[in-house]
Amino acid sequence: MPARIAVITDSSSCLPDLVAARWAIGVVQIQLNLGGHFDDENRFERGEVIDAMREGHVITTSPPDPGAFFWTYQEAAASGATAIVSIHISGRMSDTVRAAREAAQQVRIPVHVLDSRTTGMSLGFAAVSAARAAAAGADAGRVIEAAERRCFTSTEFIYVDTLEYLRRGGRIGAAQAMLGTAFSIKPLLTVKNGEVAPLARVPGTRRALAKMVDLAVKKSGGFRADIAVTRFGASDHELEIGRQIERRVPAMAESMVVEASTVIGAHLGPGALGITVSPVY
């Protein structure tokens, strides 16, 4: 019987439910604490979280309990998987990888836990690539290779209205240097070496978003690429950004507009927008 490799990720991947279901990707939920209510992030209404943030309520996040990984792995094994590739948010942003590795030690089939050193749709596209390889009959080594190639070549471009939410959540990383930026100057960020890092400072929202599109188009470099526009709360910008990228990236393989994971949004703040550029090989 050929090997069947199951692919698992976490909710910071921002994968739409239909995409995860199409590729049979298991998604373990990161935890959110809002006003003493502690639960899986998908159990919270996004609008409720955004309103609470704007009202100044403290919101914290936590990695999944190892038990959540254990039962997800057990379910994959019971469904016929002979090995699991479990790929997760950067270990410099979250202890999710640690929880996954703890659970992996208790499962009877091999579980390969990967630190993606990224998050968002860079992680999401990596999980999809891994699942495609698995569906084509690849062994665990090639599934891992497919995931790692996407992680290492994908790029996140992130716009935030303010760095305050990243500061509060302790996820500001190298972008700490941008604190104190004038209100009219908008920060653009990326993910580098597994943590949030500064990219540029641009005057005004529209110029910042235009700069982010320019950077994404340049990064695509004429290569065939999947591109995702990620939003935390609807705005007037994400659809136009998507249209601009479609016009300017003729080699685009797939494009989508997705909702940011609530956990990611809790650190970036309302109005955050991102573009993921992920080359296809």
Side-chain angles (χ1 to χ4, degrees):
M1 177 183 296
R4 177 180 178 272
I5 313 299
V7 175
I8 309 294
T9 189
D10 61 71
S11 52
S12 75
S13 63
C14 303
L15 279 177
D17 291 343
L18 289 176
V19 175
R22 176 185 176 190
W23 293 106
I25 299 169
V27 180
V28 178
Q29 296 294 313
I30 296 178
Q31 306 285 295
L32 194 70
N33 185 350
L34 172 56
H37 178 202
F38 186 82
D39 210 336
D40 292 349
E41 69 158 298
N42 66 346
R43 296 181 181 273
F44 291 86
E45 291 290 338
R46 183 172 277 98
E48 173 191 14
V49 175
I50 291 172
D51 289 345
M53 293 177 74
R54 286 176 170 153
E55 292 167 7
H57 295 284
V58 176
I59 299 173
T60 59
T61 62
S62 301
D65 185 87
F69 281 108
F70 174 78
W71 290 113
T72 301
Y73 297 158
Q74 287 289 81
E75 182 178 352
S79 297
T82 57
I84 296 169
V85 173
S86 194
I87 177 169
H88 300 291
I89 182 174
S90 171
R92 300 188 72 173
M93 297 182 186
S94 170
D95 282 337
T96 297
V97 165
R98 177 199 55 77
R101 287 176 176 154
E102 182 178 330
Q105 296 174 6
Q106 304 174 49
V107 182
R108 60 181 173 82
I109 63 173
V111 180
H112 308 275
V113 178
L114 308 182
D115 182 342
S116 72
R117 296 183 63 80
T118 188
T119 190
M121 280 299 297
S122 288
L123 173 57
F125 283 133
V128 170
S129 284
R132 281 177 174 155
D139 61 18
R142 292 194 175 185
V143 172
I144 291 169
E145 182 184 345
E148 289 182 335
R149 184 166 57 243
R150 272 292 181 110
C151 291
F152 298 154
T153 58
S154 295
T155 304
E156 294 286 322
F157 300 102
I158 305 164
Y159 163 86
V160 293
D161 276 334
T162 172
L163 293 169
E164 177 62 19
Y165 296 102
L166 278 166
R167 185 196 64 79
R168 289 181 193 174
R171 304 303 199 279
I172 196 164
Q176 177 82 27
M178 297 178 77
L179 282 173
T181 295
F183 180 75
S184 61
I185 303 298
K186 298 301 181 181
L188 295 181
L189 310 170
T190 189
V191 176
K192 185 177 181 181
N193 298 324
E195 65 179 10
V196 176
L199 191 61
R201 309 182 200 200
V202 185
T205 296
R206 291 198 173 275
R207 288 184 181 180
L209 295 177
K211 175 72 171 178
M212 185 168 66
V213 171
D214 288 343
L215 290 169
V217 171
K218 182 177 180 180
K219 184 65 180 181
S220 68
F223 296 104
R224 191 164 177 264
D226 291 331
I227 298 180
V229 178
T230 307
R231 65 186 185 186
F232 184 54
S235 73
D236 297 329
H237 306 295
E238 62 271 10
L239 294 180
E240 176 56 29
I241 288 173
R243 285 191 288 265
Q244 287 184 42
I245 290 173
E246 287 182 359
R247 289 196 301 267
R248 297 175 61 185
V249 183
M252 185 165 53
E254 182 174 5
S255 67
M256 60 179 77
V257 175
V258 303
E259 292 286 354
S261 143
T262 309
V263 161
I264 289 180
H267 291 295
L268 296 181
L273 286 163
I275 302 175
T276 303
V277 179
S278 185
V280 177
Y281 295 94

